[in-house]
Amino acid sequence: MKKQTFIAWITAGLLLAFSFNSALAAGGATPPPKLKWSFHGPFGTFDRAQMKRGWQVYKEVCAGCHSLHQIYYRNLQDIGFSAGEVKKIAAEDEVAAGPNEDGETHDGGELLVRPGKPFDKLIKPFANDAAARAANNGALPPDLSLTSKAHATGVDYIAAVLTGYKDPPSGFKMNEGMAYNTYFAGNQIAMPAPLSADAVEYADGTKATVEQMALDVSTFLAWAAEPEMEERKRLGIKVILFLIVLTALLYALKRRIWAKVH
Amino acid sequence: MATPTWNNPVIKWVDDRLPIFTFVQHSAIDYPTPKNLNYWWNFGSLAGVILVIMIATGIFLSFNYTAHVDMAFDSVERIMRDVNYGWMFRYIHMNGGTMFFLIIYIHIFRGMYYGSYKAPRELLWIIGVFIFLAMMATAFVGYVLPWGQMSFWGATVITNLFSVIPFVGNDIVTWLWGGFSVDNPTLNRFFSLHYLLPFIIFALVFLHLWALHTHKSNNPLGIEVKGDQDELPFHPYYTIKDLYGLGVFMIFFMGVTFFAPNFFGEPENYLPANPMVTPAAIVPEWYFLPYYAILRATPDNFVDAWGILPVIIDAKTSGVILMFASILLLCLLPWLDRSKVRSATFRPIYKQLYWIFLADCLVLGWIGANPPEGMMLLIGRIATFWYFFHLLILLPLVPYWEKTKELPESISAAVTANGEGSKETSS
């Protein structure tokens, strides 16, 4: 009976795992290769230098089209910038200034602006979705705040798409203005290959190959999606250790109380 | 059971007027419990604990949540990023839903294995089925609140099921939505319902416990308690056993919450709801997958392939009927199963069928996660057929030819003997 129960539960577990796996398959795209990331695993943390490089790639390449709506300038302190550096980064961008003393938000149709502050959200590249589409051949560049969480294959997906550009196989019918990508669903992506070698000049001297930039910006976006990750894991380890000790004590007590019964 | 006497004058004064201390003494301390309950009996109290955890974390989440189509998604992200420990409350609540269903499924299947639904516990079981239904409703409306892609499209698919009701179906759907599509009024009322339903569950749990305490717990042998020698007071024996079980469960629950919080979730729900873009596959949370498979199993004209009936029952209608039937049928389980013997331990044929039925439900779950095409559809249909075949045909008929094993004299006799029964007792 015991053995039978055990086997049944193992079967159940396997079936369940199988069902999740099969639910993940996306149509018409190669599954992205599984890469090693410093922030995977229960003790994993983000590589600060890599995140800073990733921010540079986002800022200089991606931010032209993609917003990062959930992130404030102040959040950049998490990836290793000092408060002063964050102030400087924020001030380089112009944000809506709000009404002036005359109650006006616009001057002759132009938005009144002021330099950004750490408490502002990162500026968006386009005023609205329609403007974004108009500038991008009808396609809407998605917000990148949650990209690594919104795909079943997570951060691997970002790195794969960024490096997955190829010439279409012969006979593959491409729509106008589209690029072929091995890892994108349907293999046609409206975004032209965004990275080219030395597209950025890294402040820390790292060589800016396409692969390097893809890994760096993927790490940065993984952080943007889960800025709480490191704190979560740190607290989680304490919680689990506490529970193991507590449960062991409860088990000892249980044995002791029940010892009288038999 | 003697009425306790209270020495403390305050307790005595209160208890004279409102016998709450006597009530606790009777139902949580002295409460006589079969001495042979195994660890599968832990899941009832676990379900109670997780309900409290869900209500507690949910209240804190509601402090910071905004039920508006333009703000809901961002307000959840604000909880995740800017509210102190908001990510923790949110992940506990999110995975708490998964844990609640996991526990309840084990609780239900435990009841099925040991025949806990049989007389005199039929109402206890039926109230349980209603708790399960209320949980499903709560989970469904709750899943809509973050207003992600799956929230929106799940809400659209499920509310549309009501359109199969003859004549008034479409009007009912419009009424549920508060408009002509899933939109802001829908989100608002779903938030309201998500706050209301847990308290209805709480009330149903109270009834469930009331019914339980009337005839007391079933046990792994499925035989009646013969006297004091078969029982133990709930405290300290089962309080400590439940606490130990809670500890083990919390290690698992917190392990998922802190280290794989999105494992059970649908990634697509991290994209904001967009009524103009339908996801490639609309998949419910894992705990609804078996029902989703049943919903999609039937073809058009499934009952009436020869076209005799004046109305056409399309695939959607029959799917919806089967899906609701698959749950409501459980209410009839005490009468469908004609065997007088409760525990599967003494029912060799039922025991095999039980495991097949469990496997069948898991297969349905697996099918529910996949598009209903080709092999998947066929397997889904066979599994759906077996689900109903088991409940409607096998359970009533099997007792006629099943030769049950001899039941032990009493619980205490079985516990001291070296039989199957002693293996059943865990401690």
Side-chain angles (χ1 to χ4, degrees), chain B residues 166-178:
Chain B
F167 308 115
V168 292
N170 287 321
D171 295 324
I172 286 181
V173 174
T174 308
W175 176 72
L176 285 173
W177 286 341

mmCIF file with all atom_site columns, all heavy atoms in Angstrom, chain B residues 166-178:
data_model
loop_
_atom_site.group_PDB
_atom_site.id
_atom_site.type_symbol
_atom_site.label_atom_id
_atom_site.label_alt_id
_atom_site.label_comp_id
_atom_site.label_asym_id
_atom_site.label_entity_id
_atom_site.label_seq_id
_atom_site.pdbx_PDB_ins_code
_atom_site.Cartn_x
_atom_site.Cartn_y
_atom_site.Cartn_z
_atom_site.occupancy
_atom_site.B_iso_or_equiv
_atom_site.pdbx_formal_charge
_atom_site.auth_seq_id
_atom_site.auth_comp_id
_atom_site.auth_asym_id
_atom_site.auth_atom_id
_atom_site.pdbx_PDB_model_num
ATOM 1   N N   . PRO B 1 166 ? -29.990 28.600 -22.524 1.00 0.00 ? 166 PRO B N   1
ATOM 2   C CA  . PRO B 1 166 ? -30.965 28.873 -23.584 1.00 0.00 ? 166 PRO B CA  1
ATOM 3   C C   . PRO B 1 166 ? -31.690 30.209 -23.382 1.00 0.00 ? 166 PRO B C   1
ATOM 4   O O   . PRO B 1 166 ? -31.967 30.597 -22.253 1.00 0.00 ? 166 PRO B O   1
ATOM 5   C CB  . PRO B 1 166 ? -31.966 27.714 -23.467 1.00 0.00 ? 166 PRO B CB  1
ATOM 6   C CG  . PRO B 1 166 ? -31.265 26.670 -22.675 1.00 0.00 ? 166 PRO B CG  1
ATOM 7   C CD  . PRO B 1 166 ? -30.269 27.364 -21.812 1.00 0.00 ? 166 PRO B CD  1
ATOM 8   N N   . PHE B 1 167 ? -31.965 30.883 -24.469 1.00 0.00 ? 167 PHE B N   1
ATOM 9   C CA  . PHE B 1 167 ? -32.757 32.123 -24.543 1.00 0.00 ? 167 PHE B CA  1
ATOM 10  C C   . PHE B 1 167 ? -32.091 33.337 -23.890 1.00 0.00 ? 167 PHE B C   1
ATOM 11  O O   . PHE B 1 167 ? -31.999 34.397 -24.487 1.00 0.00 ? 167 PHE B O   1
ATOM 12  C CB  . PHE B 1 167 ? -34.164 31.930 -23.952 1.00 0.00 ? 167 PHE B CB  1
ATOM 13  C CG  . PHE B 1 167 ? -34.886 30.750 -24.548 1.00 0.00 ? 167 PHE B CG  1
ATOM 14  C CD1 . PHE B 1 167 ? -35.214 29.637 -23.770 1.00 0.00 ? 167 PHE B CD1 1
ATOM 15  C CD2 . PHE B 1 167 ? -35.198 30.720 -25.916 1.00 0.00 ? 167 PHE B CD2 1
ATOM 16  C CE1 . PHE B 1 167 ? -35.855 28.540 -24.336 1.00 0.00 ? 167 PHE B CE1 1
ATOM 17  C CE2 . PHE B 1 167 ? -35.833 29.631 -26.483 1.00 0.00 ? 167 PHE B CE2 1
ATOM 18  C CZ  . PHE B 1 167 ? -36.162 28.532 -25.697 1.00 0.00 ? 167 PHE B CZ  1
ATOM 19  N N   . VAL B 1 168 ? -31.664 33.206 -22.612 1.00 0.00 ? 168 VAL B N   1
ATOM 20  C CA  . VAL B 1 168 ? -31.196 34.388 -21.896 1.00 0.00 ? 168 VAL B CA  1
ATOM 21  C C   . VAL B 1 168 ? -29.680 34.426 -21.759 1.00 0.00 ? 168 VAL B C   1
ATOM 22  O O   . VAL B 1 168 ? -29.124 35.335 -21.137 1.00 0.00 ? 168 VAL B O   1
ATOM 23  C CB  . VAL B 1 168 ? -31.831 34.466 -20.483 1.00 0.00 ? 168 VAL B CB  1
ATOM 24  C CG1 . VAL B 1 168 ? -33.314 34.738 -20.596 1.00 0.00 ? 168 VAL B CG1 1
ATOM 25  C CG2 . VAL B 1 168 ? -31.560 33.187 -19.698 1.00 0.00 ? 168 VAL B CG2 1
ATOM 26  N N   . GLY B 1 169 ? -28.990 33.437 -22.348 1.00 0.00 ? 169 GLY B N   1
ATOM 27  C CA  . GLY B 1 169 ? -27.546 33.314 -22.174 1.00 0.00 ? 169 GLY B CA  1
ATOM 28  C C   . GLY B 1 169 ? -26.771 34.584 -22.469 1.00 0.00 ? 169 GLY B C   1
ATOM 29  O O   . GLY B 1 169 ? -26.002 35.065 -21.639 1.00 0.00 ? 169 GLY B O   1
ATOM 30  N N   . ASN B 1 170 ? -27.001 35.153 -23.648 1.00 0.00 ? 170 ASN B N   1
ATOM 31  C CA  . ASN B 1 170 ? -26.248 36.344 -24.035 1.00 0.00 ? 170 ASN B CA  1
ATOM 32  C C   . ASN B 1 170 ? -26.558 37.534 -23.130 1.00 0.00 ? 170 ASN B C   1
ATOM 33  O O   . ASN B 1 170 ? -25.677 38.334 -22.823 1.00 0.00 ? 170 ASN B O   1
ATOM 34  C CB  . ASN B 1 170 ? -26.530 36.700 -25.495 1.00 0.00 ? 170 ASN B CB  1
ATOM 35  C CG  . ASN B 1 170 ? -25.832 35.716 -26.424 1.00 0.00 ? 170 ASN B CG  1
ATOM 36  O OD1 . ASN B 1 170 ? -24.708 35.300 -26.156 1.00 0.00 ? 170 ASN B OD1 1
ATOM 37  N ND2 . ASN B 1 170 ? -26.511 35.324 -27.495 1.00 0.00 ? 170 ASN B ND2 1
ATOM 38  N N   . ASP B 1 171 ? -27.820 37.621 -22.705 1.00 0.00 ? 171 ASP B N   1
ATOM 39  C CA  . ASP B 1 171 ? -28.173 38.707 -21.794 1.00 0.00 ? 171 ASP B CA  1
ATOM 40  C C   . ASP B 1 171 ? -27.461 38.530 -20.454 1.00 0.00 ? 171 ASP B C   1
ATOM 41  O O   . ASP B 1 171 ? -27.034 39.503 -19.830 1.00 0.00 ? 171 ASP B O   1
ATOM 42  C CB  . ASP B 1 171 ? -29.693 38.743 -21.575 1.00 0.00 ? 171 ASP B CB  1
ATOM 43  C CG  . ASP B 1 171 ? -30.421 39.088 -22.865 1.00 0.00 ? 171 ASP B CG  1
ATOM 44  O OD1 . ASP B 1 171 ? -29.866 39.909 -23.623 1.00 0.00 ? 171 ASP B OD1 1
ATOM 45  O OD2 . ASP B 1 171 ? -31.507 38.536 -23.114 1.00 0.00 ? 171 ASP B OD2 1
ATOM 46  N N   . ILE B 1 172 ? -27.357 37.269 -20.035 1.00 0.00 ? 172 ILE B N   1
ATOM 47  C CA  . ILE B 1 172 ? -26.676 37.015 -18.766 1.00 0.00 ? 172 ILE B CA  1
ATOM 48  C C   . ILE B 1 172 ? -25.210 37.411 -18.866 1.00 0.00 ? 172 ILE B C   1
ATOM 49  O O   . ILE B 1 172 ? -24.652 38.022 -17.946 1.00 0.00 ? 172 ILE B O   1
ATOM 50  C CB  . ILE B 1 172 ? -26.833 35.533 -18.365 1.00 0.00 ? 172 ILE B CB  1
ATOM 51  C CG1 . ILE B 1 172 ? -28.269 35.311 -17.880 1.00 0.00 ? 172 ILE B CG1 1
ATOM 52  C CG2 . ILE B 1 172 ? -25.828 35.134 -17.289 1.00 0.00 ? 172 ILE B CG2 1
ATOM 53  C CD1 . ILE B 1 172 ? -28.564 33.914 -17.424 1.00 0.00 ? 172 ILE B CD1 1
ATOM 54  N N   . VAL B 1 173 ? -24.586 37.087 -20.005 1.00 0.00 ? 173 VAL B N   1
ATOM 55  C CA  . VAL B 1 173 ? -23.170 37.444 -20.176 1.00 0.00 ? 173 VAL B CA  1
ATOM 56  C C   . VAL B 1 173 ? -23.003 38.963 -20.123 1.00 0.00 ? 173 VAL B C   1
ATOM 57  O O   . VAL B 1 173 ? -22.123 39.485 -19.419 1.00 0.00 ? 173 VAL B O   1
ATOM 58  C CB  . VAL B 1 173 ? -22.621 36.867 -21.495 1.00 0.00 ? 173 VAL B CB  1
ATOM 59  C CG1 . VAL B 1 173 ? -21.207 37.370 -21.742 1.00 0.00 ? 173 VAL B CG1 1
ATOM 60  C CG2 . VAL B 1 173 ? -22.626 35.338 -21.442 1.00 0.00 ? 173 VAL B CG2 1
ATOM 61  N N   . THR B 1 174 ? -23.869 39.688 -20.825 1.00 0.00 ? 174 THR B N   1
ATOM 62  C CA  . THR B 1 174 ? -23.808 41.157 -20.788 1.00 0.00 ? 174 THR B CA  1
ATOM 63  C C   . THR B 1 174 ? -23.980 41.669 -19.362 1.00 0.00 ? 174 THR B C   1
ATOM 64  O O   . THR B 1 174 ? -23.286 42.580 -18.911 1.00 0.00 ? 174 THR B O   1
ATOM 65  C CB  . THR B 1 174 ? -24.920 41.747 -21.678 1.00 0.00 ? 174 THR B CB  1
ATOM 66  O OG1 . THR B 1 174 ? -24.826 41.132 -22.957 1.00 0.00 ? 174 THR B OG1 1
ATOM 67  C CG2 . THR B 1 174 ? -24.773 43.240 -21.819 1.00 0.00 ? 174 THR B CG2 1
ATOM 68  N N   . TRP B 1 175 ? -24.899 41.022 -18.651 1.00 0.00 ? 175 TRP B N   1
ATOM 69  C CA  . TRP B 1 175 ? -25.164 41.422 -17.269 1.00 0.00 ? 175 TRP B CA  1
ATOM 70  C C   . TRP B 1 175 ? -23.945 41.166 -16.381 1.00 0.00 ? 175 TRP B C   1
ATOM 71  O O   . TRP B 1 175 ? -23.571 41.991 -15.547 1.00 0.00 ? 175 TRP B O   1
ATOM 72  C CB  . TRP B 1 175 ? -26.388 40.640 -16.775 1.00 0.00 ? 175 TRP B CB  1
ATOM 73  C CG  . TRP B 1 175 ? -26.744 40.872 -15.349 1.00 0.00 ? 175 TRP B CG  1
ATOM 74  C CD1 . TRP B 1 175 ? -27.302 41.993 -14.815 1.00 0.00 ? 175 TRP B CD1 1
ATOM 75  C CD2 . TRP B 1 175 ? -26.567 39.949 -14.273 1.00 0.00 ? 175 TRP B CD2 1
ATOM 76  N NE1 . TRP B 1 175 ? -27.484 41.824 -13.459 1.00 0.00 ? 175 TRP B NE1 1
ATOM 77  C CE2 . TRP B 1 175 ? -27.050 40.583 -13.102 1.00 0.00 ? 175 TRP B CE2 1
ATOM 78  C CE3 . TRP B 1 175 ? -26.072 38.651 -14.171 1.00 0.00 ? 175 TRP B CE3 1
ATOM 79  C CZ2 . TRP B 1 175 ? -27.033 39.964 -11.850 1.00 0.00 ? 175 TRP B CZ2 1
ATOM 80  C CZ3 . TRP B 1 175 ? -26.057 38.035 -12.936 1.00 0.00 ? 175 TRP B CZ3 1
ATOM 81  C CH2 . TRP B 1 175 ? -26.533 38.694 -11.788 1.00 0.00 ? 175 TRP B CH2 1
ATOM 82  N N   . LEU B 1 176 ? -23.287 40.000 -16.592 1.00 0.00 ? 176 LEU B N   1
ATOM 83  C CA  . LEU B 1 176 ? -22.086 39.682 -15.816 1.00 0.00 ? 176 LEU B CA  1
ATOM 84  C C   . LEU B 1 176 ? -20.976 40.703 -16.094 1.00 0.00 ? 176 LEU B C   1
ATOM 85  O O   . LEU B 1 176 ? -20.285 41.142 -15.186 1.00 0.00 ? 176 LEU B O   1
ATOM 86  C CB  . LEU B 1 176 ? -21.563 38.291 -16.173 1.00 0.00 ? 176 LEU B CB  1
ATOM 87  C CG  . LEU B 1 176 ? -22.318 37.072 -15.639 1.00 0.00 ? 176 LEU B CG  1
ATOM 88  C CD1 . LEU B 1 176 ? -21.740 35.799 -16.244 1.00 0.00 ? 176 LEU B CD1 1
ATOM 89  C CD2 . LEU B 1 176 ? -22.244 37.018 -14.125 1.00 0.00 ? 176 LEU B CD2 1
ATOM 90  N N   . TRP B 1 177 ? -20.816 41.052 -17.353 1.00 0.00 ? 177 TRP B N   1
ATOM 91  C CA  . TRP B 1 177 ? -19.768 41.986 -17.746 1.00 0.00 ? 177 TRP B CA  1
ATOM 92  C C   . TRP B 1 177 ? -20.061 43.402 -17.275 1.00 0.00 ? 177 TRP B C   1
ATOM 93  O O   . TRP B 1 177 ? -19.153 44.190 -17.086 1.00 0.00 ? 177 TRP B O   1
ATOM 94  C CB  . TRP B 1 177 ? -19.628 42.014 -19.283 1.00 0.00 ? 177 TRP B CB  1
ATOM 95  C CG  . TRP B 1 177 ? -18.976 40.811 -19.870 1.00 0.00 ? 177 TRP B CG  1
ATOM 96  C CD1 . TRP B 1 177 ? -18.193 39.913 -19.218 1.00 0.00 ? 177 TRP B CD1 1
ATOM 97  C CD2 . TRP B 1 177 ? -19.025 40.389 -21.236 1.00 0.00 ? 177 TRP B CD2 1
ATOM 98  N NE1 . TRP B 1 177 ? -17.757 38.953 -20.097 1.00 0.00 ? 177 TRP B NE1 1
ATOM 99  C CE2 . TRP B 1 177 ? -18.250 39.222 -21.342 1.00 0.00 ? 177 TRP B CE2 1
ATOM 100 C CE3 . TRP B 1 177 ? -19.650 40.895 -22.379 1.00 0.00 ? 177 TRP B CE3 1
ATOM 101 C CZ2 . TRP B 1 177 ? -18.081 38.541 -22.543 1.00 0.00 ? 177 TRP B CZ2 1
ATOM 102 C CZ3 . TRP B 1 177 ? -19.486 40.222 -23.568 1.00 0.00 ? 177 TRP B CZ3 1
ATOM 103 C CH2 . TRP B 1 177 ? -18.709 39.047 -23.652 1.00 0.00 ? 177 TRP B CH2 1
ATOM 104 N N   . GLY B 1 178 ? -21.332 43.757 -17.164 1.00 0.00 ? 178 GLY B N   1
ATOM 105 C CA  . GLY B 1 178 ? -21.695 45.141 -16.931 1.00 0.00 ? 178 GLY B CA  1
ATOM 106 C C   . GLY B 1 178 ? -21.427 45.979 -18.158 1.00 0.00 ? 178 GLY B C   1
ATOM 107 O O   . GLY B 1 178 ? -21.109 47.169 -18.062 1.00 0.00 ? 178 GLY B O   1
#
